[in-house]
Amino acid sequence: MIERLKRKLRHNDDHGSSFVLVIVATTFMCILASAILMGAMMTYKLKFYKLNSLNNFYEVETALDEMYAGVGAATNEHLYSAYTTTAELVVVYDTKAQAYTTLDNKSANELFKKLFMTGFVADTNYKSLKNVTDTLQSFISNEYDAVDNPDGVRLDTSNMKLIYTDVNNKTTTQYYKNNGGIKTEKQSGYENDKVQSVTFKNVCVKRSVNLQGSTAGTYEQSITTDIVLTEPEYNVSFDTSSVSNNTLYEYAILADMGVEVGEDNDNKTTDAQVKGNIYAASDYYNKDYNDVAETKVTNKYESKPSTMWGTKDSSAYSGIFVNGKNTSLTLNSDVVVCSGSLAAYNGAEINLSGRTQTLSELWADNIVIGGKDGGSLKASADAYIFDDTELNAEKASLKFTQGSYFGYSYNAQDTRSLNYLRQKGYLATGYKLRSHFSDSAIIVNGKNSTLDLQELNSLYIAGKSYIEFSKIAASSVPEDDENITVDENADYAFTTLEDYSTGQSLDVKTNQLMFLTQWSVVNNTEKVDPDTGITTVTLQFPKTFEADANILDLYDDFLNDLATEGDKGVTAIKQTVSGHDYYYLYIEDGKDSSNVSNAEKFAEKYYKLLQDYGDEISSKLYNVQKYEQFQVKLVLPAEGKINASGAVTDQNNDDSLFLRASTTTTMDVATALDNVSTGKVFTNILGNKGSDNNKKVFNDLKADAAELSGSSVANDEETTSNFLSYMYINMKDHLSVLNKKDEATKPDVNAWEIAGYSKSASGYTSTYNKDKDEYSYDYSITPLNHYVDFAYVFSRNLSIENTIGNATDNEAKTIVINSGDVKLQPNNGDGSFQGIIIAGGNVRFDENVKSFRGMIITGSKLIIDHNMSISADAAFVANLLEQCSESTDEKLNTLTTKVLKNYTSSKSEGNTEVTGASISDISYEDILVFQNWKKNVE
């Protein structure tokens, strides 16, 4: 049987086996392909999960950074408050000995640290766990809201604690109970008045994102950490009597032709940080002292002006000029004196805040955001702006997070001296110069720009917007009444053309009420006034307006009969900007019996018409309320915090624009000034001698400034403008608002007089002759001449570079004195440069220099073209100068005996050696830290 089966099997046909093999192989390949596809999909999904996880991580980390910065700001406030209180108590009157005694540095620091911790613990925002929770949550910009922002970041307080630890390591702890209440546990022996650290424990931030579709799911990320504030370990110097009286040592930079940061290069990044005060001036006007050997501070004016003197943006807006979309400048400066522009160009970013407190104090000619789109300025400051603030670039952003803004100039007269340039032939025929210097208005010229002033305590704008005819280039400067010849190919020129005011203090350029875009130009009516250079045309009154009595009434005073019977027209000013023609209703200069200008009166009448008659008239008139082609974002303070001499353009919640008339802005300017004068920065400038004494000094300064008006009765605008102009000139000449003495034997000479003004029965008289453009060289109008004897530097063509200390220990300090340009390498192994630099030319650092500590004084420019930080340190500078004064090295000794004017050794006044760090070189990063950082662990 078996053999038969074998024979049968041997004769069986194997047809079809190949087909089965193909089926099996195909099935296997399909399974393999499916596995690969599933693997790819899983990889994609994992990457997607990772991407969302990373996005979440960056969001929650940003929220923690915001909390850290917020707590840090409060830390700075309490550090400075403790320091100033201690400084006032360092010298005390001993009633028994009937003499003044001085606390030693050790005792003063013990008091300082105790006052700091006591002040922070007593801070309302941090004295209870509930307040801490609310405070930390308020710092989150992308805060979670179930309805409005479900993808936001939330603060999870379930495990959060507030712990105070005293010097004996005893604690008191607050935490949330299950029912939401707060329980406090205090260890036996804990001492409230000896707190050494404050811990916000288990601070947890979370963000969840719900996704639909194939990647549906909830992506949650959390970070939990402790934020710990400790008592300062360092000692602060309280032994610097001579330093505290010399504000010069607090300055990181004094640059007479400005500070230039970065360049317009998309492939290069410049991230610069300055800790310390700054003086920076424009590079081309009010430089007549450079024509006199005794007062010149640079030799740059002896070179050909191929790239300077207002011929390019970095010069026309010099002062502090930050350039390029990959460029950022962070200023931690209590005082910034910018006798020129604070400018962010071509997408650059500027961040400004104080150093020893949150607020900075900014004195500047103007603020400009220009060039390519995206530039920004974010400021925590009291700002005193002589000329305009301009947002000229698209997508520009200006935001004040706190402080006050005073735009105080209301005089369109250009009194800047360019005499020296003309004497040297630098103003050849058709030469280009930026010449506008006019009313202090705020103007938004860039599309999609943001102006956020909501957090200001007060907003004061004395000036009004204008059509900048002074920027029209003239091929020659006329004498007396000679006609002006206009050079249409030039960008800038010194001319006698006057600007045309449009009646608004805060203006959106393409929303100016005098635009007449719907009116047609009448042929052959364009003409140029030979005396003013102004181009005018006749515009035809639209036929669609004729039936509306309200519109006829609005323009009735301006309508003229045209050649064609029945047709009417108006005279308009024509201006061409970036190839586009704009027309403004020509309104004669003048005011009514209520002192309201004709231009503002028309503007208010125009807007009232829009408000009273709705869409029909809005569609006939220029659609200013929702102009889609020129969108902006305006966020202003409440009405009671604004005072303006002209109308103010504002924005409704639906983004439509509206007008606030000057009569509806009600802020009391005198009160606003008084409030600012009691601030920490201002009182520090006044001398820090106590609030009562500083108040008296402040009022005395206002009385001095009032003499600018003489016996005439000044209005509010004049009084405010005169006072702040007086203060500004003091700051520009002495880096202080206080009056000074030239010598002890001479009478008081205030900075206003030093700038060429003298008192008379009718007020102040200037030696400046506008018609002849002559200026007195008797006194310097730059603080560099007040502190440095550049005449000595130039007469001997000095070139000194001497180093003290060991570079391997990173303690090398270098004195650099040079009549020309300098470019410096690191003088320490860690890539830092420490020392004092005084130069007549440009100062720049090699790209290997990561940081600078000390003081830079240059008669030309400081140029920062790579990532680095610059830090002032008053105690460091004072000690280094002391070493130089005691040195037997003649070159080092030259700094204190020949180059610096009026240098006085602290020891010669009976003071002890400066020990400890300067309070100006301390920041909250030294004592506020993250601990126990955990990701996705609670």
Side-chain angles (χ1 to χ4, degrees):
M1 175 67 68
I2 292 174
E3 287 296 325
R4 190 181 300 165
L5 284 172
K6 288 181 178 178
R7 286 196 299 271
K8 210 167 184 59
L9 288 171
R10 278 199 296 268
H11 288 92
N12 276 346
D13 192 353
D14 62 353
H15 292 169
S17 61
S18 297
F19 178 73
V20 171
L21 181 62
V22 170
I23 293 295
V24 171
T26 303
T27 303
F28 174 75
M29 291 300 293
C30 289
I31 294 171
L32 180 62
S34 298
I36 292 172
L37 287 173
M38 286 296 293
M41 290 180 65
M42 288 300 295
T43 300
Y44 172 77
K45 182 173 283 191
L46 286 172
K47 286 185 176 180
F48 190 79
Y49 272 87
K50 182 180 179 183
L51 179 63
N52 280 278
S53 178
L54 287 172
N55 286 340
N56 270 3
F57 179 73
Y58 291 134
E59 289 286 346
V60 294
E61 188 175 32
T62 297
L64 278 176
D65 287 341
E66 290 172 334
M67 292 180 186
Y68 180 74
V71 177
T75 302
N76 264 2
E77 287 285 325
H78 290 292
L79 275 172
Y80 185 79
S81 177
Y83 175 80
T84 53
T85 302
T86 306
E88 291 174 359
L89 298 174
V90 165
V91 179
V92 295
Y93 187 74
D94 188 330
T95 54
K96 292 183 179 179
Q98 293 187 335
Y100 286 96
T101 60
T102 303
L103 288 177
D104 59 52
N105 212 46
K106 180 181 178 181
S107 300
N109 271 281
E110 290 174 355
L111 178 60
F112 161 66
K113 294 171 184 180
K114 181 177 180 179
L115 288 173
F116 165 66
M117 292 305 298
T118 302
F120 191 91
V121 170
D123 191 320
T124 305
N125 293 322
Y126 302 99
K127 69 187 303 182
S128 71
L129 182 58
K130 178 62 170 65
N131 290 358
V132 168
T133 302
D134 293 342
T135 300
L136 294 181
Q137 197 159 309
S138 70
F139 295 141
I140 304 175
S141 58
N142 183 27
E143 187 178 356
Y144 169 82
D145 185 279
V147 177
D148 296 332
N149 190 26
D151 293 339
V153 179
R154 63 188 185 277
L155 177 65
D156 185 344
T157 61
S158 55
N159 295 317
M160 192 169 160
K161 298 178 180 179
L162 173 61
I163 303 173
Y164 297 115
T165 306
D166 69 10
V167 292
N168 299 312
N169 213 30
K170 301 292 185 179
T171 63
T172 179
T173 304
Q174 297 179 34
Y175 60 90
Y176 285 103
K177 298 187 293 186
N178 292 334
N179 62 3
I182 295 176
K183 185 174 181 179
T184 301
E185 292 182 354
K186 183 184 295 186
Q187 290 184 340
S188 177
Y190 170 79
E191 297 183 71
N192 287 318
D193 59 346
K194 293 184 179 179
V195 175
Q196 203 165 33
S197 70
V198 179
T199 303
F200 308 136
K201 192 166 186 62
N202 296 329
V203 177
C204 180
V205 287
K206 293 182 177 180
R207 180 175 183 260
S208 302
V209 178
N210 296 314
L211 298 177
Q212 305 298 323
S214 61
T215 56
T218 299
Y219 301 89
E220 182 173 89
Q221 184 63 269
S222 69
I223 297 178
T224 304
T225 188
D226 302 339
I227 301 176
V228 182
L229 176 68
T230 59
E231 184 181 87
E233 295 181 0
Y234 49 78
N235 281 336
V236 176
S237 173
F238 291 98
D239 292 335
T240 56
S241 300
S242 63
V243 173
S244 63
N245 290 329
N246 193 340
T247 59
L248 176 69
Y249 299 164
E250 299 288 348
Y251 279 77
I253 301 165
L254 292 94
D256 202 61
M257 294 172 71
V259 176
E260 203 168 302
V261 182
E263 57 187 274
D264 187 20
N265 183 344
D266 292 350
N267 298 317
K268 187 169 184 179
T269 299
T270 302
D271 186 358
Q273 183 176 23
V274 178
K275 295 181 178 181
N277 297 343
I278 296 177
Y279 169 83
S282 176
D283 69 18
Y284 75 98
Y285 70 81
N286 283 356
K287 302 295 181 184
D288 296 331
Y289 46 84
N290 283 316
D291 195 31
V292 180
E294 291 75 16
T295 58
K296 70 187 303 184
V297 297
T298 184
N299 283 323
K300 289 292 182 180
Y301 269 65
E302 295 174 358
S303 60
K304 292 182 180 179
S306 56
T307 58
M308 292 187 182
W309 325 139
T311 61
K312 62 178 184 178
D313 286 334
S314 59
S315 177
Y317 297 100
S318 56
I320 299 176
F321 186 84
V322 188
N323 191 16
K325 73 174 185 179
N326 296 321
T327 301
S328 65
L329 173 64
T330 300
L331 300 176
N332 299 125
S333 309
D334 290 339
V335 179
V336 175
V337 182
C338 184
S339 184
S341 302
L342 177 61
Y345 250 70
N346 298 317
E349 176 184 323
I350 301 175
N351 293 290
L352 170 63
S353 62
R355 190 182 192 192
T356 58
Q357 59 278 311
T358 55
L359 279 177
S360 178
E361 186 161 313
L362 170 66
W363 298 84
D365 277 3
N366 57 349
I367 296 173
V368 179
I369 302 174
K372 299 174 186 176
D373 60 11
S376 68
L377 169 62
K378 186 177 181 181
S380 170
D382 289 324
Y384 306 90
I385 309 301
F386 183 77
D387 198 3
D388 295 330
T389 287
E390 305 172 31
L391 276 65
N392 293 335
E394 292 191 12
K395 300 177 184 176
S397 174
L398 172 62
K399 180 174 183 177
F400 275 80
T401 56
Q402 60 178 320
S404 299
Y405 180 98
F406 292 88
Y408 56 90
S409 173
Y410 68 102
N411 181 1
Q413 182 181 7
D414 185 345
T415 60
R416 297 172 308 168
S417 176
L418 302 171
N419 186 52
Y420 178 55
L421 295 177
R422 296 229 291 272
Q423 283 183 352
K424 298 297 180 183
Y426 293 165
L427 286 181
T429 300
Y431 209 76
K432 304 174 182 181
L433 279 177
R434 174 176 176 262
S435 65
H436 169 69
F437 203 71
S438 189
D439 281 359
S440 186
I442 298 178
I443 307 168
V444 182
N445 291 330
K447 295 180 181 179
N448 299 307
S449 292
T450 299
L451 178 69
D452 187 349
L453 308 178
Q454 186 175 25
E455 300 302 321
L456 287 176
N457 295 322
S458 56
L459 171 62
Y460 172 71
I461 317 174
K464 299 175 184 178
S465 59
Y466 53 86
I467 307 171
E468 196 175 22
F469 288 110
S470 66
K471 190 176 176 179
I472 293 175
S475 59
S476 63
V477 179
E479 296 292 340
D480 301 326
D481 297 326
E482 290 183 13
N483 293 339
I484 294 172
T485 304
V486 175
D487 179 0
E488 296 180 352
N489 296 319
D491 295 327
Y492 301 100
F494 182 82
T495 78
T496 58
L497 294 175
E498 293 185 357
D499 297 323
Y500 174 76
S501 176
T502 60
Q504 295 188 57
S505 291
L506 195 160
D507 194 12
V508 177
K509 178 76 169 184
T510 308
N511 177 44
Q512 285 181 1
L513 301 181
M514 271 52 78
F515 275 134
L516 304 172
T517 57
Q518 299 176 349
W519 299 30
S520 59
V521 178
V522 178
N523 293 333
N524 302 319
T525 59
E526 182 173 321
K527 59 183 179 181
V528 178
D529 189 311
D531 295 325
T532 65
I534 293 176
T535 301
T536 60
V537 297
T538 299
L539 299 180
Q540 184 168 339
F541 188 67
K543 297 284 187 183
T544 55
F545 288 6
E546 292 179 355
D548 196 309
N550 294 301
I551 297 180
L552 278 170
D553 177 64
L554 176 66
Y555 292 104
D556 185 57
D557 293 338
F558 309 99
L559 292 175
N560 302 306
D561 293 331
L562 301 181
T564 306
E565 187 175 350
D567 285 349
K568 294 184 178 296
V570 298
T571 300
I573 295 173
K574 174 185 175 182
Q575 186 184 33
T576 301
V577 179
S578 300
H580 300 287
D581 293 335
Y582 297 105
Y583 302 98
Y584 304 77
L585 182 64
Y586 184 75
I587 303 175
E588 295 286 349
D589 190 27
K591 297 181 179 180
D592 63 13
S593 57
S594 300
N595 205 35
V596 178
S597 70
N598 293 336
E600 184 181 350
K601 191 162 52 176
F602 175 82
E604 293 179 358
K605 190 175 181 181
Y606 190 111
Y607 261 97
K608 189 175 187 303
L609 193 62
L610 288 177
Q611 294 166 357
D612 290 349
Y613 292 94
D615 292 339
E616 183 179 354
I617 285 189
S618 295
S619 63
K620 291 181 179 180
L621 297 176
Y622 182 53
N623 185 12
V624 296
Q625 292 183 308
K626 291 184 179 179
Y627 187 39
E628 295 178 357
Q629 296 179 356
F630 198 87
Q631 295 178 343
V632 295
K633 185 67 177 178
L634 306 179
V635 190
L636 302 186
E639 195 172 271
K641 294 183 177 181
I642 301 175
N643 186 292
S645 65
V648 173
T649 305
D650 203 348
Q651 194 164 38
N652 293 307
N653 291 333
D654 64 355
D655 292 339
S656 62
L657 301 171
F658 69 97
L659 191 77
R660 289 181 176 177
S662 62
T663 53
T664 64
T665 56
T666 56
M667 181 196 72
D668 185 332
V669 182
T671 300
L673 274 174
D674 285 343
N675 289 339
V676 171
S677 73
T678 60
K680 292 175 182 176
V681 179
F682 208 111
T683 54
N684 187 44
I685 293 173
L686 288 171
N688 243 346
K689 298 175 181 177
S691 57
D692 292 340
N693 186 71
N694 283 340
K695 190 72 173 177
K696 179 182 182 303
V697 173
F698 182 72
N699 288 329
D700 289 343
L701 287 167
K702 286 200 288 188
D704 289 342
E707 295 184 36
L708 299 176
S709 304
S711 56
S712 62
V713 178
N715 58 32
D716 291 342
E717 288 84 2
E718 289 172 329
T719 300
T720 303
S721 182
N722 285 343
F723 174 62
L724 291 174
S725 294
Y726 175 84
M727 303 291 265
Y728 186 31
I729 289 182
N730 278 329
M731 288 299 298
K732 288 194 292 186
D733 194 74
H734 289 300
L735 307 180
S736 171
V737 297
L738 297 176
N739 295 338
K740 299 288 183 181
K741 291 183 179 181
D742 279 353
E743 296 175 7
T745 57
K746 291 186 177 181
D748 285 350
V749 179
N750 62 49
W752 188 273
E753 292 173 295
I754 288 176
Y757 288 77
S758 57
K759 297 178 184 178
S760 70
S762 58
Y764 275 73
T765 304
S766 171
T767 59
Y768 176 72
N769 187 318
K770 182 176 184 296
D771 294 330
K772 295 182 180 180
D773 196 27
E774 294 176 352
Y775 200 90
S776 170
Y777 302 126
D778 292 341
Y779 297 102
S780 162
I781 53 171
T782 172
L784 271 67
N785 274 328
H786 186 70
Y787 294 105
V788 179
D789 189 349
F790 275 99
Y792 181 86
V793 175
F794 292 129
S795 65
R796 286 159 179 78
N797 196 26
L798 291 184
S799 179
I800 295 173
E801 188 169 331
N802 272 30
T803 299
I804 306 170
N806 194 334
T808 57
D809 296 331
N810 299 320
E811 293 181 355
K813 302 176 283 286
T814 304
I815 301 299
V816 178
I817 306 172
N818 200 300
S819 59
D821 298 340
V822 294
K823 184 174 182 178
L824 301 165
Q825 300 285 339
N827 64 357
N828 282 298
D830 59 358
S832 68
F833 188 101
Q834 299 186 119
I836 297 173
I837 302 168
I838 297 177
N842 294 331
V843 174
R844 66 170 74 218
F845 294 92
D846 185 83
E847 62 182 10
N848 294 319
V849 178
K850 300 175 183 178
S851 64
F852 171 83
R853 179 191 186 198
M855 183 170 59
I856 301 169
I857 302 177
T858 168
S860 186
K861 288 182 180 289
L862 170 65
I863 300 172
I864 305 173
D865 57 6
H866 64 279
N867 297 349
M868 69 174 296
S869 64
I870 294 176
S871 178
D873 186 334
F876 170 82
V877 171
N879 274 325
L880 181 53
L881 289 174
E882 194 72 59
Q883 285 181 272
C884 291
S885 69
E886 295 176 349
S887 175
T888 56
D889 186 324
E890 184 179 350
K891 290 184 177 180
L892 290 175
N893 197 262
T894 294
L895 176 61
T896 53
T897 59
K898 303 292 186 182
V899 176
L900 287 181
K901 294 180 178 178
N902 305 319
Y903 171 74
T904 303
S905 168
S906 58
K907 291 185 178 180
S908 68
E909 295 182 345
N911 299 315
T912 60
E913 182 181 359
V914 177
T915 58
S918 165
I919 186 65
S920 64
D921 205 36
I922 301 302
S923 61
Y924 61 82
E925 289 94 340
D926 299 311
I927 53 177
L928 186 69
V929 296
F930 287 123
Q931 290 182 1
N932 304 321
W933 183 279
K934 293 172 287 187
K935 179 181 175 184
N936 293 330
V937 178
E938 300 176 20

